[in-house]
Amino acid sequence: MTARAARADGNADDLDVEEALALVRKHPDGTTDTPRPTHPRHDATAWPDARAVAEGAPRHGTGGRTGGRTGHLPPVAVPLASALGLTLAAPLTALTDLPSFDTSAMDGWAVSGPGPWSVRDEGVLAGHSAHPPLTDGEAVRIATGARVPPDTTAVLRSEHGRTDDKGRLHVTAATRPPHTVTHGQDIRPRGQECRSGDQLLPVGTPVTPPVLGMAAAAGYDTLTAVPRPRVDVFVLGDELLGEGLPHDGLIRDALGPLLPPWLRALGAEVTAVRRVGDTEEALYEAITASGADVVVTTGGTAAGPVDHVHPALRRIGAELLVDGVRVRPGHPMLLARTKAGQYLVGLPGNPLAAVSGLLTLAEPLLRTLAARPAPEPYTLPLRDGVQGHPYDTRLVPVALRGERAVPLLYNGPAMLRGIAAADALAVVPPGGARPGQEAELIDLPWASGGIGVCFT
């Protein structure tokens, strides 16, 4: 795609929106009437339907790596260190009792029978072998997590005991009668948390840091999980620069840095990020050589002189599942099945339009392949009104302020300034939204999970 073509494509999108907004008649109370124009792409898919098609596509394909009706990739054994963010494909079952022996819950003394007690010279530390049984009237220093000696009655906390000048241990806690302890106090009995064979977590559980800790405690070195879908990113456009300032009709590539970490946040393993020349042959060769589960392309999805995605897909014999979506920005996006078990998500070349395509088609597709749970839908009232498109959904960057969503400026198809400051995208229905109207929100990964969590 040339720089001129890229600008023309962006202007066309902007003009479409401006012309459409001119068709929306506003009333003094802020409401609008939306006429029923003939849509220039009557065969484009409605935005909710496009998301549903992308989510269901792996369940209806044949062959490849997907797991039949589930649509997810075949499970693999994954070391704990690599399993964060995956989804359990087998129940997490306890391999041992937890704890596997009676342990001290506190630093203090293991005691036997009523006090006062004579104290052994050698203490009991965590990780050491079993100690001889205690006899009535005997105590031993013990550390948190250490295995209690046989015939221990209780553990007396350090702050609840004292030794006299003869080395005898006494209870000092004001809440207890002198010389007494409660049987079993501050001892974690074997099997308190679970017994060997108990199901700890079911299939479909996302692997979070606590899940990793639970698995390690239960004796696991690997987890059976659904792997990350492999994604190749092909950035199209001869006008794109990889570094430095724009000059001489050349512009910086924004999507090359933006897409890979975002795709990782959506559960993908990005296996390649390549610049592909603006020719049909170059694109055809790149797609047919890819062994990824999903190919993501940027630009070239419209019908301009250097828009080669459709011709390349026809040459491959791909099945177009979504060819255009009634959403702004990003309506020329597409989804195709290029071969058994491989999909192509064609994103528009304008940055915010590409983000729209990423969240409309790539997110639900990758979620199914990775067996990740769908986010819970939610709404918030809009602080300000948002003008709408007469017949298309709009995705508008918003900042979350308390219990309201604040629409942000700089939300044109070629702009990233709005989304860079956003917490979510508001789904604005055709015709627009009034101030205070509830809008569905799509959270952005860094707003819900934190940078360090979502981009690993």
Side-chain angles (χ1 to χ4, degrees):
M1 181 187 296
T2 64
R4 179 177 179 181
R7 288 195 297 272
D9 179 64
N11 289 339
D13 202 341
D14 287 334
L15 287 173
D16 284 346
V17 173
E18 291 169 3
E19 291 167 358
L21 293 178
L23 298 173
V24 180
R25 182 159 54 91
K26 298 189 71 174
H27 296 288
D29 64 359
T31 61
T32 59
D33 282 341
T34 303
R36 298 178 60 187
T38 301
H39 197 290
R41 280 295 308 276
H42 58 84
D43 58 339
T45 306
W47 182 77
D49 295 341
R51 285 174 60 82
V53 170
E55 181 178 358
R59 301 189 186 103
H60 302 122
T62 57
R65 291 208 298 158
T66 55
R69 288 180 300 174
T70 66
H72 64 63
L73 300 173
V76 294
V78 183
L80 294 188
S82 304
L84 181 64
L86 302 185
T87 299
L88 291 182
L92 191 71
T93 303
L95 303 179
T96 182
D97 297 344
L98 287 181
S100 55
F101 45 81
D102 294 348
T103 62
S104 175
M106 293 288 172
D107 291 335
W109 295 268
V111 300
S112 180
W117 302 271
S118 60
V119 182
R120 286 183 184 173
D121 292 333
E122 184 180 357
V124 180
L125 300 177
H128 288 240
S129 59
H131 282 246
L134 293 175
T135 60
D136 271 357
E138 192 175 27
V140 65
R141 265 287 186 185
I142 195 166
T144 301
R147 184 173 188 168
V148 298
D151 298 329
T152 295
T153 301
V155 169
L156 179 65
R157 302 185 186 192
S158 296
E159 61 269 28
H160 292 169
R162 66 170 179 82
T163 54
D164 59 24
D165 53 5
K166 296 180 180 179
R168 302 275 290 174
L169 174 65
H170 302 264
V171 177
T172 60
T175 57
R176 304 184 189 282
H179 313 312
T180 66
V181 291
T182 303
H183 194 279
Q185 77 181 42
D186 290 324
I187 294 176
R188 296 189 183 116
R190 176 174 182 164
Q192 182 185 50
E193 185 168 5
C194 64
R195 290 291 184 180
S196 179
D198 286 352
Q199 179 175 303
L200 305 175
L201 295 168
V203 170
T205 300
V207 179
T208 61
V211 170
L212 293 174
M214 178 83 259
Y220 285 83
D221 298 316
T222 62
L223 291 175
T224 301
V226 179
R228 293 174 176 84
R230 300 167 305 187
V231 177
D232 284 349
V233 178
F234 298 151
V235 180
L236 314 181
D238 290 343
E239 77 280 13
L240 299 177
L241 291 169
E243 59 183 14
L245 292 173
H247 62 86
D248 300 327
L250 301 178
I251 59 174
R252 278 296 296 270
D253 168 27
L255 295 179
L258 179 152
L259 288 175
W262 204 323
L263 288 163
R264 284 192 286 272
L266 297 179
E269 176 191 353
V270 179
T271 45
V273 181
R274 287 183 50 197
R275 293 277 297 279
V276 177
D278 266 336
T279 69
E280 179 185 332
E281 187 65 28
L283 181 57
Y284 171 81
E285 291 180 357
I287 296 172
T288 54
S290 172
D293 301 301
V294 178
V295 173
V296 174
T297 62
T298 68
T301 55
V306 289
D307 290 332
H308 299 300
V309 175
H310 282 91
L313 291 176
R314 284 193 294 269
R315 185 173 169 186
I316 291 168
E319 177 188 4
L320 272 176
L321 304 176
V322 175
D323 189 10
V325 178
R326 294 200 292 273
V327 67
R328 303 300 172 113
H331 63 285
M333 68 181 74
L334 61 85
L335 171 65
R337 184 179 288 112
T338 52
K339 59 184 178 183
Q342 186 185 69
Y343 300 87
L344 182 141
V345 177
L347 304 178
N350 278 320
L352 189 57
V355 168
S356 174
L358 188 70
L359 297 178
T360 300
L361 297 178
E363 186 275 331
L365 174 68
L366 292 169
R367 176 169 20 98
T368 297
L369 290 171
R372 289 162 67 114
E376 288 291 330
Y378 76 104
T379 65
L380 282 179
L382 295 169
R383 191 193 70 178
D384 310 314
V386 179
Q387 285 190 315
H389 193 279
Y391 34 70
D392 289 354
T393 299
R394 285 192 70 197
L395 300 182
V396 177
V398 295
L400 304 184
R401 298 291 181 265
E403 294 300 313
R404 287 182 175 266
V406 181
L408 299 173
L409 300 176
Y410 307 104
N411 54 32
M415 298 179 179
L416 285 174
R417 186 171 173 182
I419 192 72
D423 300 305
L425 287 175
V427 181
V428 179
R434 301 180 304 276
Q437 181 173 328
E438 294 279 332
E440 178 186 351
L441 297 183
I442 302 174
D443 275 335
L444 301 178
W446 51 90
S448 57
I451 293 289
V453 173
C454 70
F455 294 113
T456 53

